[in-house]
């Protein structure tokens, strides 16, 4: 209706905009692209409007991807904060048996830096940890309260009580294992 168009025209004229193209993603408005009149004074032609529509669609996708990336970063920071403040050592392996994640307590207990630990695989981890992770990765069953020891100085091992769990995707497929 004309009564609704008038305020929009006033905004366009006040800002010297000739065209405003919505930036949407999944039918939600994320922003607008406001264009001044062409220097030539020509109107915007259908092929230009089509191009602007494609452009703003791509901008909408890029904005959404940036939002998702930010959410992933925040989630990773949250997980890292949890792991950093835990008193228990935590090591995870992926479906290939490579160490994917560990915390500083696991590093301290094993005597290996976080960088060293994350460069290892289940076969090169200390046997007390690697064997339990390997079994859980293979059969998907957790192990609870397993008493073991990590090798230490002067034949004195560090006694541990460990538990493992399988890491699963949304279909229930084992995609890794975790030891605490």
């Amino acid at each position: 209706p004309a009564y609704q168009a008038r305020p929009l025209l006033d905004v366009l004229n006040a800002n010297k905009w000739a065209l405003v193209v919505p930036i949407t993603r999944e039918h939600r408005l994320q922003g607008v692209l406001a264009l001044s009149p062409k220097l030539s004074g020509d109107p915007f032609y259908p092929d230009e409007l089509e191009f602007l529509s494609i452009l703003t669609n791509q901008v909408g996708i890029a904005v959404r991807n940036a939002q998702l990336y930010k959410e992933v970063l925040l989630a990773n920071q949250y997980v890292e904060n949890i792991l950093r403040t835990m008193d228990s050592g935590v090591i995870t392996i992926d479906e290939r048996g490579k160490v994917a994640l560990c915390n500083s307590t696991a590093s301290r207990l094993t005597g290996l830096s976080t960088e060293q630990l994350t460069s290892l695989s289940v076969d090169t981890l200390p046997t007390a940890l690697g064997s339990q992770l390997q079994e859980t990765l293979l059969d998907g069953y957790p192990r609870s309260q397993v008493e073991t020891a990590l090798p230490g100085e002067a034949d004195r091992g560090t006694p541990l009580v460990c538990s493992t769990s399988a890491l699963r995707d949304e279909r229930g497929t084992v995609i890794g294992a975790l030891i605490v």
Side-chain angles (χ1 to χ4, degrees):
Y3 67 90
Q4 290 177 338
R6 189 77 235 155
L8 179 57
L9 287 173
D10 291 343
V11 170
L12 288 172
N13 291 330
N15 289 291
K16 297 183 172 85
W17 294 336
L19 180 67
V20 176
V21 184
I23 298 171
T24 61
R25 182 70 186 142
E26 298 170 357
H27 308 292
R28 296 183 67 203
L29 183 66
Q30 293 184 307
V32 294
L33 175 64
L35 300 168
S36 61
K38 289 178 163 182
L39 294 177
S40 66
D42 292 339
F44 287 93
Y45 296 106
D47 59 333
E48 295 170 320
L49 295 174
E50 177 70 22
F51 171 75
L52 289 170
S53 175
I54 292 169
L55 177 68
T56 56
N57 184 48
Q58 294 301 312
V59 169
I61 291 169
V63 168
R64 181 63 182 142
N65 286 344
Q67 291 168 336
L68 291 172
Y69 180 73
K70 183 179 177 183
E71 290 173 21
V72 167
L73 285 179
L74 290 173
N76 284 342
Q77 289 173 349
Y78 186 72
V79 168
E80 288 173 10
N81 188 34
I82 291 170
L83 290 173
R84 187 175 45 256
T85 59
M86 287 181 68
D87 289 334
S88 298
V90 177
I91 299 174
T92 67
I93 58 169
D94 63 21
E95 66 274 1
R96 296 178 317 273
K98 180 164 179 354
V99 175
L101 189 81
C102 65
N103 67 356
S104 58
T105 305
S107 177
R108 185 176 45 79
L109 288 170
T110 61
L112 300 168
S113 71
T114 302
E115 292 78 21
Q116 288 172 309
L117 273 172
T118 54
S119 71
L120 300 177
S121 69
V122 71
D123 299 326
T124 55
L125 278 169
T127 305
L129 305 174
S131 61
Q132 292 181 66
L133 281 166
Q134 180 69 36
E135 290 172 11
T136 298
L137 184 63
L138 290 173
D139 64 19
Y141 291 109
R143 272 100 182 132
S144 297
Q145 305 296 314
V146 176
E147 294 184 24
T148 189
L150 286 172
E153 296 177 16
D155 295 331
R156 292 179 51 178
T158 303
L160 298 175
V161 177
C162 300
S163 296
T164 64
S165 296
L167 300 173
R168 299 176 186 275
D169 65 13
E170 61 279 350
R171 295 183 313 269
T173 304
V174 175
I175 58 168
L178 162 82
I179 191 165
V180 178

